[in-house]
Amino acid sequence: MDSANIRDRRKIQKPMGVPEIVVGRLPLYLRALSHLPEEVKAITSDELGNLLGISSAQIRKDLSYFGEFGKQGSGYEIDYLRQQLQQILQVDKQWPVALVGVGDLGQAILSYGGFQERGFYIDVAFDVDPQKFGKSFNDIQILPVSQMSKFIAEHELLIAIVAIPSSVAQMVADELVQAGVRAILNYAPVTLNVPEHVRVYHIDPAIGLQNMTYYL
Amino acid sequence: MDSANIRDRRKIQKPMGVPEIVVGRLPLYLRALSHLPEEVKAITSDELGNLLGISSAQIRKDLSYFGEFGKQGSGYEIDYLRQQLQQILQVDKQWPVALVGVGDLGQAILSYGGFQERGFYIDVAFDVDPQKFGKSFNDIQILPVSQMSKFIAEHELLIAIVAIPSSVAQMVADELVQAGVRAILNYAPVTLNVPEHVRVYHIDPAIGLQNMTYYL
């Protein structure tokens, strides 16, 4: 964030008890705002709703948990709303992330260009294959998984991406949590058991497909 | 599905107006049931809720849209509930799926072993790179994207996975829809505009991460 942004920043109150489903929509709003043409400076909740297939009433209600972001009639000032959403979601900074697993999927994640502008960077990757140790992908070093706990604890990493087979996912998750990780993006198609203070977000393409077949 | 399953099958009524959020939880129930040890034959809504971090009341309410699946006291018979969920979600069959884009991510999707047992198989893949034409990955042939529309229309494919750069995602989505696709699993980090009869499910790792940073 540049100094202008910092100067403009008003402290966001993080209200208690915002439903998870509401928090879950904020990243969608942020992504939609980020993809608008640069010349567009303001957007109404109707327009944003049309882009996302969400009702404008829902959008206004969701945002109202966090404050007053729009002006009656003229809608939301895009730069301002983006900045506020980034603050609310705490992605107005860059989070270092550990990647576990550098197979096909892990390599795709390492090459993915979309993290940086959205608040994240892969700081380190771990694998079990000795042939990969010491190599690097896009300047990210690959370390033996045996060094994972120590590295994560020392660097105080809070976020990990797990791209490993289901059979070892729970074991690795336990180790990550033990080392201090509090947010896991899990690509293994298995439900991870973690303590209450840890969050897991599943990326599971079959779940995505099954969400749609109901309607076919 | 084998003949025993077909014999046992009772026709599920697909009720009108089940909220999308309810439909979206059914694949999670199905996945959790599929990961239980084989010797477990029944599960209560409390136990299922604990596995998923969802309240048992929510689970009972969700399932009650579709019928009576449990017996008071003894819970749900797992095989039966799985079978019913598969029917409701229409994944008691194998859907052929077209993959668009065979980069790192597309290759990871082609190697992903989890589709088959969950109702899907990749039938064909498309790419723009002539070096990939005619090759195959796990017996799936890679065709030029110029043949995509014709192939999809002729084979009446309804589902596509889009693993291509954002810049071309909307163009490809338009072509897919034109060819008859009605469900798109979209890995490009961009909101796709599609007609109302088409569903899009986004797989976006940054959205997943942003869902969790709020709580850190």
Side-chain angles (χ1 to χ4, degrees):
Chain A
M1 297 291 105
D2 58 35
S3 60
N5 279 351
I6 289 167
R7 202 188 49 218
D8 283 337
R9 217 181 262 176
R10 294 166 213 175
K11 195 74 204 136
I12 290 265
Q13 295 292 329
K14 200 179 262 192
M16 296 294 285
V18 180
E20 286 199 25
I21 185 104
V22 172
V23 174
R25 279 191 290 262
L26 301 182
L28 303 178
Y29 301 159
L30 182 55
R31 180 174 64 189
L33 294 175
S34 304
H35 285 123
L36 294 172
E38 229 176 281
E39 61 271 22
V40 181
K41 300 297 181 200
I43 191 168
T44 64
S45 52
D46 276 333
E47 291 164 337
L48 188 55
N50 282 339
L51 279 177
L52 288 165
I54 296 175
S55 78
S56 58
Q58 184 71 69
I59 292 174
R60 288 193 302 270
K61 191 173 166 220
D62 287 354
L63 294 177
S64 72
Y65 279 100
F66 303 96
E68 267 301 334
F69 299 114
K71 295 190 195 95
Q72 200 110 41
S74 61
Y76 302 106
E77 195 199 315
I78 289 166
D79 279 349
Y80 179 69
L81 182 56
R82 272 187 68 177
Q83 208 178 302
Q84 298 296 305
L85 285 171
Q86 285 170 340
Q87 262 185 267
I88 294 167
L89 292 170
Q90 303 199 77
V91 291
D92 54 344
K93 51 175 282 189
Q94 293 280 311
W95 294 89
V97 174
L99 171 67
V100 192
V102 192
D104 281 327
L105 178 61
Q107 286 175 39
I109 293 166
L110 287 177
S111 339
Y112 179 65
F115 286 127
Q116 203 94 21
E117 62 188 17
R118 296 167 77 188
F120 308 93
Y121 65 96
I122 311 282
D123 190 35
V124 62
F126 300 99
D127 202 275
V128 288
D129 178 1
Q131 301 221 306
K132 292 178 183 157
F133 299 164
K135 293 200 176 156
S136 61
F137 257 79
N138 292 344
D139 285 334
I140 301 154
Q141 60 175 342
I142 303 173
L143 299 179
V145 79
S146 59
Q147 295 177 22
M148 187 175 78
S149 289
K150 189 158 175 283
F151 187 101
I152 286 177
E154 279 182 6
H155 291 75
E156 298 181 348
L157 299 186
L158 296 179
I159 306 175
I161 300 179
V162 168
I164 55 179
S166 296
S167 53
V168 289
Q170 183 63 55
M171 192 182 68
V172 165
D174 290 344
E175 202 178 324
L176 290 169
V177 169
Q178 190 68 33
V181 163
R182 285 170 49 203
I184 297 175
L185 189 72
N186 175 31
Y187 279 87
V190 59
T191 303
L192 298 178
N193 293 310
V194 295
E196 263 190 31
H197 72 281
V198 178
R199 303 195 76 85
V200 177
Y201 188 98
H202 283 278
I203 302 264
D204 182 340
I207 292 277
L209 293 172
Q210 290 183 344
N211 257 277
M212 300 188 286
T213 47
Y214 177 84
Y215 299 99
L216 289 180
Chain B
M1 296 292 105
D2 59 35
S3 60
N5 278 351
I6 289 168
R7 203 189 47 218
D8 284 335
R9 215 180 263 175
R10 295 167 213 175
K11 196 73 207 135
I12 290 265
Q13 295 292 331
K14 201 179 258 191
M16 297 293 288
V18 180
E20 287 200 25
I21 184 105
V22 172
V23 174
R25 278 190 291 261
L26 301 183
L28 303 178
Y29 301 159
L30 182 55
R31 180 173 65 190
L33 294 176
S34 305
H35 285 123
L36 295 173
E38 231 177 280
E39 61 271 22
V40 181
K41 299 297 182 200
I43 190 167
T44 63
S45 53
D46 276 333
E47 292 164 336
L48 188 55
N50 282 339
L51 280 177
L52 288 165
I54 297 175
S55 79
S56 58
Q58 185 70 69
I59 292 173
R60 288 193 301 271
K61 190 172 167 221
D62 286 354
L63 294 178
S64 71
Y65 279 100
F66 303 96
E68 266 303 333
F69 299 112
K71 296 190 194 95
Q72 200 110 41
S74 61
Y76 302 105
E77 196 200 315
I78 290 166
D79 278 349
Y80 179 69
L81 182 56
R82 270 186 68 178
Q83 209 177 300
Q84 298 297 303
L85 285 170
Q86 284 170 340
Q87 263 185 265
I88 294 167
L89 293 170
Q90 304 199 76
V91 291
D92 53 346
K93 52 174 280 188
Q94 294 280 312
W95 294 89
V97 174
L99 170 68
V100 192
V102 192
D104 282 326
L105 178 60
Q107 287 176 38
I109 294 166
L110 287 178
S111 340
Y112 179 64
F115 287 126
Q116 203 94 20
E117 62 188 15
R118 295 167 78 188
F120 308 94
Y121 64 97
I122 311 283
D123 190 36
V124 62
F126 301 98
D127 203 276
V128 289
D129 178 0
Q131 301 221 306
K132 292 177 184 157
F133 299 164
K135 293 200 177 155
S136 63
F137 258 80
N138 291 345
D139 285 334
I140 301 154
Q141 59 175 341
I142 303 173
L143 299 179
V145 79
S146 59
Q147 296 176 22
M148 186 174 78
S149 290
K150 190 158 174 282
F151 187 100
I152 286 177
E154 280 181 5
H155 292 75
E156 298 181 347
L157 299 185
L158 295 179
I159 306 176
I161 300 179
V162 168
I164 54 180
S166 295
S167 53
V168 289
Q170 183 63 53
M171 193 182 66
V172 165
D174 291 343
E175 203 177 324
L176 289 169
V177 169
Q178 190 69 33
V181 163
R182 285 168 51 202
I184 297 174
L185 189 72
N186 176 30
Y187 279 87
V190 59
T191 304
L192 298 177
N193 292 310
V194 295
E196 264 190 29
H197 71 283
V198 178
R199 303 195 77 86
V200 177
Y201 188 98
H202 283 276
I203 302 264
D204 183 339
I207 292 277
L209 293 171
Q210 289 182 345
N211 258 277
M212 299 188 287
T213 47
Y214 177 84
Y215 299 99
L216 290 180

